[in-house]
Amino acid sequence: MEITGRFTKDLFSRDAFAIKLFKAHEPIEMPDGSMESSFSVKGVLPNTVLDITLEGEFDPMPFVGARGKQFTFSATSCEEHRVANRSGITRYLTSINGIGETLAKRIYDMFGDETFDVLDDDIEKLKDVQGVGKKNFELIKEDYMSRGAAKDVYAYLLPFGIGMNKIGKLYDRFGKNTIEVVKEDPYRLFMKGYFSFNVAEKIFKSLNGDSLAPNRVKGAIFHVLYNVEQLGHTYCTWANLLDNIYKLFSVEKLPKSERVPIAEKVRSACKSMEGKEIYCRTRLKDGTPIFYRAVTGYAEYNAAKEIKRIMESSPSENRSYMDDIVDAEKELGILLSPEQEAAVETVMNSQFSVVTGGPGTGKTSFQKVLFNVFERYSNDGIMLAAPTGRAARRMTESSGLPSGTIHQTLGLLATDDGDFINTEDSSVIDTGLLVVDEVSMLDIYLADKLFTAISRGTKIVCVGDIYQLPSVGAGAVLKSMIDSGEVPVITFTKKRIGIEPFLTSSGLKYGNSSIAINAARINHGIKEMDFDDSFVFIPRDSSEDIVETVKVEYEKALKEYGDDETIVLTPYRKKTATGVNEINPILKEIINPIPSHVNSRNKVDNMDLYLGDKVMFTKNKGELTNGDIGYITKIEISGKSQIVTCDFGDDRIVELAGTELDCLVQAYACTVHKSQGAEYKCCIIIIDPKHEILLKRNLVYTAITRAKEKVILIGDIDAYTRSIDKEDTSSRNTQLDDIITLEMSK
């Protein structure tokens, strides 16, 4: 439907999207049958003071605001009525950013009724008008031009659910041809990351295309392969690929004979995509056809080749370092176990090695002695790296040596979509010894980049805990390296579960702590726990009781450990009363209550974030990595937008604005997955039966091992014991281990 009238008030705007009050020339029938002439309008709306005709539809359901029940008109297109006379033209000009009343009159005086023709065809002529400086001209040009083709692009794409930032990238790339390019092949743009497969489907169906068109089949293949990666797999079998495509196309219940033509189209599409969008391979262990996204297949095969290169980059040694180890122990005041001493010798005699073990098994003490021994023989330097900023800082605290994230070490720059690109500062890692911690968090892409960057002669030690949650991204790098049987592996264990003590750098017998004892027991499927002041279980039956107890224990922990060293961990972000999104606002009120007077200087627009809030950054961008935690220290107004300053520690005081603010969430509580690589003095862990689908042995183990001094488990004891029984047996489809074995045999 079409409506004509004028905007009377701006209610909200972000980028090109806006909500405005609208006054129609004639009363309009609302969805409930009432007649109204004033209502709100949302969409890509111009800043105009002139009459305008909008095309779109009213939302079927009203909302209740300060003015009572109101309906909102969703505009899909706009046509401004630009009146060709002095009054109308100057009035319109004043709506353009950079043009006031005086300048509007000067522009009209120079161009008269042809003003709009000049703006459309030769806007550079504006520079001849007195008062239009260089900066002012750029403001005018940007605003006016955005009301042309860009406006149409936003209006076309927004109804499909594409975000403003994504539309902006499309327009930057394709300009006025954007709509034509999108219509031509939305699936190609999906595969290039401009929008999701579901969006591509909506666009394609709006064009009434052939349901088995080659571009749609290609998009479906790529979508399936991308989705299996989100589950941690690097590849997909032919049978699994077909099954998923049948489900996408809603033909899974058809007789097999009727699905054969679809299978043939999938096979044909795979052949045309081979080597470009996908890799078609055979599984090494049994010859089964398997399929990768091209970037993933390359990463898996190349990582294996790079591991071989590193292992063979220097002649292997077989000498004894025991005298040096004993001297280092005396110098440092650390007593290693025989297995730790043997580990130091193994690393010193190897170019590539893996060290794995749980908390309290002596990985930190081993590293201290290793560094001391290494420096007796080499001046080439030691580098430390970890997947997250918190893990890297922990390495520095325990070793006294500088460290950084893997991305910083590699010179990788995070892009707006969370990917990484090489910068001009990217270079090979040229050092004597590289120690990488929390390797269980490495996905195949980052592992490939890391191993490729290591120079000839550099010795690398990969340290991780095989019992922790695997990487969020595709692959099982740590497990694969161990399973290959080709990489030297040192496994730190205890002779008796939770009994064998090891001295930490501070002299604490961490191996005897109840945290380490219970963590070791979990790994062995033992449900019995040792309870003491450092390991507490508070039984609660309902989600409501769990929440109330969390509040009480959180307040106590804050007094003893402080905000920085206290965290609440839970499996889910959404869905339940004990998920992160529900728990965070409750904890916030304890530490940083919502101010009595809320304004733009103490609240982030359209977000439940306030000055002083503890926040997490959820993307990789610049010097920030996904999972970094900081505090909002300042909120400033800059034009129509806000600039939010956050202190993330380590002198990282960062200003965020625009879409960057969407990457901030409250961080009083977080998911167990997000806590990986971090340590806190006190961890409060929620065990809610409603989370049982995720409550498995490795998740509980990961949560418990985030705590350095105290664990408080709150919830259902039966749910806890059942989680220990549920060993995560779901293996990931990856063949890095087999490829390593194959490469080493050549």
Side-chain angles (χ1 to χ4, degrees):
M1 66 181 298
E2 290 187 350
I3 57 175
T4 301
R6 281 186 184 180
F7 297 126
T8 58
K9 187 178 182 180
D10 294 335
L11 300 177
F12 169 83
S13 66
R14 175 170 287 183
D15 298 321
F17 181 82
I19 302 175
K20 300 174 183 282
L21 283 182
F22 186 82
K23 176 72 173 181
H25 291 331
E26 301 287 340
I28 307 294
E29 184 177 357
M30 301 291 111
D32 65 351
S34 63
M35 303 295 291
E36 300 285 345
S37 56
S38 294
F39 43 84
S40 59
V41 173
K42 64 182 180 182
V44 181
L45 308 175
N47 294 319
T48 181
V49 294
L50 302 182
D51 286 355
I52 188 167
T53 296
L54 306 176
E55 187 174 343
E57 298 292 338
F58 281 99
D59 295 344
M61 297 298 293
F63 71 93
V64 180
R67 299 170 59 237
K69 185 173 71 173
Q70 301 170 58
F71 287 92
T72 301
F73 188 84
S74 293
T76 56
S77 67
C78 314
E79 182 183 354
E80 298 169 82
H81 301 186
R82 302 190 301 192
V83 182
N85 56 51
R86 182 184 181 89
S87 175
I89 292 174
T90 55
R91 183 179 173 85
Y92 180 85
L93 290 175
T94 59
S95 72
I96 299 173
N97 194 16
I99 300 179
E101 289 186 15
T102 301
L103 186 56
K105 292 175 181 177
R106 288 176 183 166
I107 294 171
Y108 183 83
D109 288 343
M110 179 167 285
F111 303 118
D113 291 348
E114 297 179 355
T115 296
F116 290 133
D117 293 332
V118 172
L119 294 176
D120 290 335
D121 303 327
D122 196 2
I123 198 169
E124 296 288 325
K125 286 184 177 180
L126 278 183
K127 294 178 180 179
D128 298 332
V129 180
Q130 183 185 353
V132 179
K134 183 177 180 181
K135 183 178 180 180
N136 208 28
F137 173 75
E138 293 300 327
L139 288 173
I140 297 168
K141 181 180 178 180
E142 182 181 2
D143 192 6
Y144 188 79
M145 297 301 286
S146 71
R147 305 178 184 208
K151 180 187 70 177
D152 295 335
V153 170
Y154 280 102
Y156 176 71
L157 293 177
L158 273 174
F160 294 113
I162 307 176
M164 302 295 297
N165 192 38
K166 294 286 188 182
I167 296 175
K169 288 183 178 180
L170 278 166
Y171 187 75
D172 289 343
R173 172 66 179 84
F174 301 109
K176 64 181 181 180
N177 297 320
T178 301
I179 295 176
E180 181 182 341
V181 171
V182 170
K183 288 181 176 180
E184 181 181 357
D185 190 355
Y187 297 100
R188 180 171 67 89
L189 297 178
F190 149 64
M191 288 188 279
K192 290 184 177 294
Y194 285 107
F195 43 70
S196 70
F197 177 77
N198 288 338
V199 167
E201 285 278 83
K202 289 178 183 177
I203 296 170
F204 183 79
K205 290 175 181 178
S206 74
L207 302 171
N208 297 314
D210 177 8
S211 63
L212 291 178
N215 61 336
R216 187 181 184 223
V217 177
K218 289 179 181 179
I221 293 168
F222 196 88
H223 175 64
V224 170
L225 296 181
Y226 179 82
N227 276 355
V228 300
E229 290 176 20
Q230 305 312 297
L231 299 174
H233 309 296
T234 60
Y235 67 81
C236 178
T237 64
W238 171 248
N240 191 240
L241 177 64
L242 277 183
D243 285 345
N244 278 280
I245 288 177
Y246 292 155
K247 290 177 183 176
L248 276 177
F249 290 0
S250 301
V251 298
E252 70 272 23
K253 295 182 180 179
L254 290 179
K256 185 176 180 180
S257 60
E258 295 183 33
R259 298 198 305 256
V260 169
I262 301 173
E264 288 304 313
K265 287 193 177 282
V266 174
R267 194 182 303 275
S268 175
C270 285
K271 289 180 180 179
S272 68
M273 298 170 74
E274 165 64 18
K276 294 172 286 188
E277 292 91 3
I278 69 172
Y279 280 171
C280 308
R281 297 286 187 267
T282 55
R283 195 157 55 194
L284 295 175
K285 62 183 180 184
D286 59 11
T288 299
I290 58 176
F291 300 83
Y292 296 87
R293 282 199 311 147
V295 64
T296 311
Y298 173 83
E300 188 161 87
Y301 274 80
N302 194 66
K305 292 178 180 179
E306 293 299 324
I307 290 172
K308 177 185 180 181
R309 176 187 63 81
I310 297 167
M311 292 179 67
E312 298 178 347
S313 63
S314 291
S316 58
E317 298 183 53
N318 190 23
R319 59 165 294 174
S320 175
Y321 292 88
M322 190 53 65
D323 290 343
D324 298 295
I325 293 170
V326 172
D327 289 344
E329 288 178 275
K330 291 178 181 178
E331 184 178 324
L332 297 170
I334 297 174
L335 179 62
L336 297 186
S337 70
E339 72 175 358
Q340 290 172 302
E341 292 174 339
V344 175
E345 283 204 315
T346 299
V347 171
M348 291 297 296
N349 284 307
S350 308
Q351 286 301 115
F352 196 116
S353 54
V354 171
V355 175
T356 183
T361 54
K363 296 193 297 294
T364 299
S365 298
F366 148 78
Q367 289 181 48
K368 282 181 166 291
V369 175
L370 171 65
F371 298 157
N372 186 291
V373 173
F374 180 83
E375 289 177 332
R376 295 166 185 249
Y377 290 88
S378 175
N379 295 317
D380 292 337
I382 299 171
M383 293 179 65
L384 310 180
T388 67
R390 293 184 70 89
R393 288 190 288 278
R394 182 160 50 83
M395 293 184 78
T396 295
E397 292 167 1
S398 62
S399 68
L401 298 173
S403 63
T405 66
I406 296 173
H407 311 94
Q408 292 166 341
T409 303
L410 295 174
L412 298 176
L413 180 67
T415 62
D416 289 337
D417 55 8
D419 198 2
F420 290 93
I421 58 173
N422 293 86
T423 67
E424 293 181 357
D425 297 327
S426 302
S427 60
V428 297
I429 298 174
D430 189 9
T431 189
L433 174 65
L434 172 67
V435 178
V436 185
D437 202 5
E438 299 288 351
V439 177
S440 63
M441 298 178 66
L442 254 64
D443 61 29
I444 192 63
Y445 313 107
L446 190 55
D448 174 44
K449 285 183 170 65
L450 173 65
F451 299 152
T452 300
I454 294 174
S455 65
R456 180 179 180 85
T458 294
K459 194 186 294 293
I460 178 172
V461 184
C462 295
V463 183
D465 187 346
I466 195 66
Y467 295 108
Q468 286 195 30
L469 292 168
S471 62
V472 175
V477 176
L478 178 60
K479 184 177 184 298
S480 295
M481 292 190 298
I482 295 172
D483 290 348
S484 73
E486 300 290 343
V487 179
V489 178
I490 304 104
T491 302
F492 289 168
T493 60
K494 297 180 175 68
K495 293 179 180 178
R496 299 186 300 273
I497 300 172
I499 300 298
E500 188 72 14
F502 296 112
L503 293 175
T504 67
S505 57
S506 63
L508 173 68
K509 292 185 177 180
Y510 187 36
N512 271 349
S513 79
S514 56
I515 296 173
I517 292 171
N518 291 323
R521 288 177 173 174
I522 288 172
N523 283 340
H524 288 74
I526 299 173
K527 302 171 187 176
E528 291 75 18
M529 296 174 287
D530 277 7
F531 296 108
D532 56 23
D533 290 341
S534 65
F535 199 96
V536 178
F537 198 109
I538 304 175
R540 293 292 184 267
D541 296 328
S542 67
S543 298
E544 293 75 17
D545 289 343
I546 291 173
V547 171
E548 289 303 313
T549 307
V550 167
K551 288 166 59 179
V552 172
E553 295 302 319
Y554 188 68
E555 288 193 77
K556 291 179 184 177
L558 289 176
K559 294 176 182 176
E560 185 171 356
Y561 302 105
D563 183 25
D564 284 339
E565 293 289 347
T566 304
I567 193 72
V568 175
L569 300 178
T570 182
Y572 277 109
R573 174 161 292 281
K574 303 177 181 179
K575 295 188 178 183
T576 70
T578 52
V580 170
N581 290 353
E582 296 297 323
I583 289 288
N584 259 320
I586 295 170
L587 303 181
K588 169 201 162 49
E589 283 299 304
I590 297 173
I591 295 179
N592 188 41
I594 296 174
S596 57
H597 179 65
V598 175
N599 55 51
S600 56
R601 297 191 181 277
N602 62 21
K603 183 180 186 300
V604 182
D605 285 343
N606 306 306
M607 300 180 72
D608 193 25
L609 295 175
Y610 298 80
L611 187 67
D613 265 347
K614 184 179 182 180
V615 291
M616 178 184 289
F617 199 73
T618 59
K619 277 192 175 182
N620 297 302
K621 187 174 180 65
E623 60 186 310
L624 299 179
T625 57
N626 191 342
D628 277 346
I629 291 176
Y631 295 85
I632 297 176
T633 58
K634 187 189 294 183
I635 300 175
E636 300 175 284
I637 307 298
S638 178
K640 294 182 179 179
S641 62
Q642 285 181 317
I643 298 175
V644 178
T645 303
C646 296
D647 186 351
F648 288 96
D650 300 324
D651 298 321
R652 295 178 303 159
I653 299 175
V654 182
E655 291 185 346
L656 304 171
T659 56
E660 293 173 332
L661 298 178
D662 296 333
C663 303
L664 289 178
V665 295
Q666 291 178 349
Y668 305 99
C670 73
T671 64
V672 179
H673 284 84
K674 282 290 187 184
S675 74
Q676 284 188 270
E679 283 188 347
Y680 303 87
K681 288 183 179 179
C682 179
C683 290
I684 300 171
I685 303 165
I686 292 174
I687 307 293
D688 191 336
K690 293 179 179 177
H691 298 161
E692 280 206 57
I693 191 170
L694 288 182
L695 282 173
K696 296 179 181 179
R697 187 184 300 175
N698 60 348
L699 183 134
V700 176
Y701 172 84
T702 301
I704 286 173
T705 55
R706 300 308 90 205
K708 295 184 288 185
E709 296 184 19
K710 188 163 187 174
V711 167
I712 305 173
L713 294 150
I714 302 174
D716 188 279
I717 189 70
D718 292 332
Y720 169 83
T721 56
R722 287 193 296 271
S723 72
I724 307 307
D725 285 332
K726 290 193 290 184
E727 187 176 5
D728 193 351
T729 57
S730 58
S731 61
R732 294 189 167 190
N733 287 337
T734 174
Q735 55 175 5
L736 177 62
D737 52 345
D738 292 327
I739 303 171
I740 293 173
T741 302
L742 176 66
E743 289 296 321
M744 295 302 298
S745 69
K746 294 180 179 178

